[in-house]
């Protein structure tokens, strides 16, 4: 943990729920929705070793691409876990149409997602993961093995600053090449507006959103984030065509969860209430 114990951060929702989000781009019977599962390593959650390896390999692939993360050298599994899996992690898994109907049979899923009750989540099995919420049922009715076509994305949530500024989090997002083209970055970003405040943060700061990553810049702006500063030539990135490198500016991006975060009910407080 980069900053040790984080003070003043509590999880107002108690056990943060898993959620379902619809796939809106190139949806199919095999890829109908995304199940997001929060993982709290401080509470003892564990992931299956094969899933950790997949996450690690995908992150090293992003480092090797050299256009989104500032890291230049690939990481060992241990270094990756210390960086990406030290606080809270949100995993996205692809649901088929039949799996979606089993978990949410009543109506269409809104773009802002719907929470799963613990009893619903207990019917889901993700490989051999030891996540607390998934250990409630020994008879899983929905099986999500750790395969390339099941895991969709992952992102961490951890403090961006230490101590008296640790109420502002940072998020690091990873969409593997195997699931690109489904609008999953948009789904992950929307879910971040739920999970960020749900695990206790008041806002978020992204330190380096490279200006060349135009899709990401547009997405965060559309979701209500503000570009609060531009750092000239902040990144020495690989060119898209692979022909050498170039220096690229980066934005510092801020979002206030009290204004753009959302909750599922009035009782949870805050703004951006999602009406059922």
């Amino acid at each position: 943990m980069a900053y040790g114990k984080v003070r003043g951060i509590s999880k107002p929702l108690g056990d943060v729920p898993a959620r379902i989000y619809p796939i809106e781009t190139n949806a199919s019977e095999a890829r109908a929705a995304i199940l997001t599962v929060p993982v709290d390593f401080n509470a003892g959650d564990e992931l299956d070793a094969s899933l950790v390896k997949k996450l690690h390999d995908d992150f090293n692939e992003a480092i090797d691409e050299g256009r989104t993360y500032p890291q230049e050298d690939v990481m060992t599994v241990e270094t990756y876990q210390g960086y990406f899996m030290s606080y809270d992690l949100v995993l996205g898994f692809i649901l088929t149409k039949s799996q979606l109907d089993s978990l949410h049979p009543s109506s269409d899923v809104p773009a802002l997602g719907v929470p799963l009750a613990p009893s619903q989540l207990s019917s889901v099995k993700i490989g051999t993961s030891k996540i607390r919420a998934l250990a409630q049922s020994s008879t899983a009715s929905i099986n999500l093995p750790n395969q390339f076509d099941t895991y969709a994305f992952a992102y961490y949530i951890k403090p961006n600053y230490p101590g008296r500024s640790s109420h502002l989090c940072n998020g690091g997002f990873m969409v593997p090449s195997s699931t690109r083209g489904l609008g999953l970055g948009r789904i992950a970003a929307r879910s971040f507006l739920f999970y960020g405040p749900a695990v206790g943060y008041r806002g978020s700061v992204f330190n380096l959103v490279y200006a060349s990553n135009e899709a990401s810049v547009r997405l965060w702006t559309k979701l209500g984030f503000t570009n609060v500063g531009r750092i000239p030539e902040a990144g020495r990135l690989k060119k898209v065509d692979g022909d050498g490198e170039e220096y690229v500016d980066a934005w510092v991006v801020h979002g206030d969860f009290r204004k753009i975060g959302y909750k599922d009910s009035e009782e949870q407080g805050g703004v951006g209430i999602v009406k059922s």
Side-chain angles (χ1 to χ4, degrees):
M1 298 184 184
Y3 296 138
K5 180 177 174 58
V6 180
R7 300 180 181 177
I9 299 296
S10 61
K11 296 187 176 180
L13 301 190
D15 290 332
V16 180
R19 298 175 67 83
I20 296 175
Y21 292 85
I23 291 178
E24 300 172 309
T25 303
N26 296 324
S28 65
E29 291 289 323
R31 296 180 171 187
I34 295 295
L35 170 69
T36 56
V37 179
V39 183
D40 184 350
F41 296 106
N42 287 330
D45 291 345
E46 298 180 35
L47 297 182
D48 180 62
S50 62
L51 179 55
V52 173
K53 183 180 186 304
K54 169 62 175 167
L55 293 167
H56 167 245
D57 290 345
D58 286 340
F59 188 69
N60 275 340
E61 181 180 327
I63 291 177
D64 188 60
E65 288 175 351
R67 294 193 296 274
T68 55
Y69 276 89
Q71 285 86 351
E72 191 167 11
D73 299 320
V74 296
M75 293 183 176
T76 64
V77 172
E78 292 75 17
T79 303
Y80 165 77
Q81 288 178 298
Y83 175 72
F84 214 92
M85 300 171 61
S86 57
Y87 283 89
D88 290 283
L89 182 74
V90 176
L91 294 170
F93 294 93
I94 292 174
L95 295 176
T96 66
K97 182 64 167 59
S98 61
Q99 290 171 337
L100 172 61
D101 291 341
S102 176
L103 289 172
H104 187 73
S106 58
S107 62
D108 292 337
V109 180
L112 292 180
V114 293
L116 287 185
S119 60
Q120 291 176 292
L121 186 59
S122 68
S123 70
V124 179
K125 183 176 186 295
I126 299 177
T128 58
S129 299
K130 299 177 182 178
I131 303 172
R132 289 168 297 136
L134 300 183
Q136 298 173 7
S137 173
S138 60
T139 56
S141 60
I142 295 178
N143 187 33
L144 302 175
N146 298 322
Q147 297 178 349
F148 290 1
D149 59 352
T150 301
Y151 147 66
F153 61 74
Y155 62 87
Y156 64 72
I157 307 174
K158 60 184 178 180
N160 193 58
Y161 308 108
R164 298 186 185 279
S165 294
S166 60
H167 56 280
L168 296 174
C169 70
N170 179 264
F173 295 77
M174 181 69 248
V175 178
S177 56
S178 59
T179 58
R180 292 174 188 170
L182 299 174
L184 299 186
R186 181 172 63 251
I187 295 174
R190 285 175 180 164
S191 71
F192 179 66
L193 295 186
F194 174 84
Y195 286 111
V199 297
Y201 294 95
R202 289 165 63 91
S204 175
V205 175
F206 302 132
N207 303 302
L208 293 169
V209 180
Y210 293 119
S212 57
N213 191 351
E214 296 178 356
S216 182
V217 173
R218 286 195 303 268
L219 174 59
W220 294 119
T221 300
K222 184 176 181 180
L223 291 176
F225 286 72
T226 303
N227 297 335
V228 295
R230 185 166 177 134
I231 308 173
E233 297 188 349
R236 174 175 48 81
L237 307 184
K238 291 183 180 181
K239 294 182 179 179
V240 176
D241 59 10
D243 186 19
E245 299 176 333
E246 60 184 347
Y247 284 94
V248 176
D249 293 357
W251 289 104
V252 179
V253 179
H254 171 256
D256 186 343
F257 289 145
R258 295 169 299 172
K259 297 179 180 179
I260 62 176
Y262 60 87
K263 313 287 180 70
D264 286 310
S265 69
E266 298 285 352
E267 291 73 21
Q268 293 169 1
V271 297
I273 304 297
V274 180
K275 300 294 184 181
S276 60

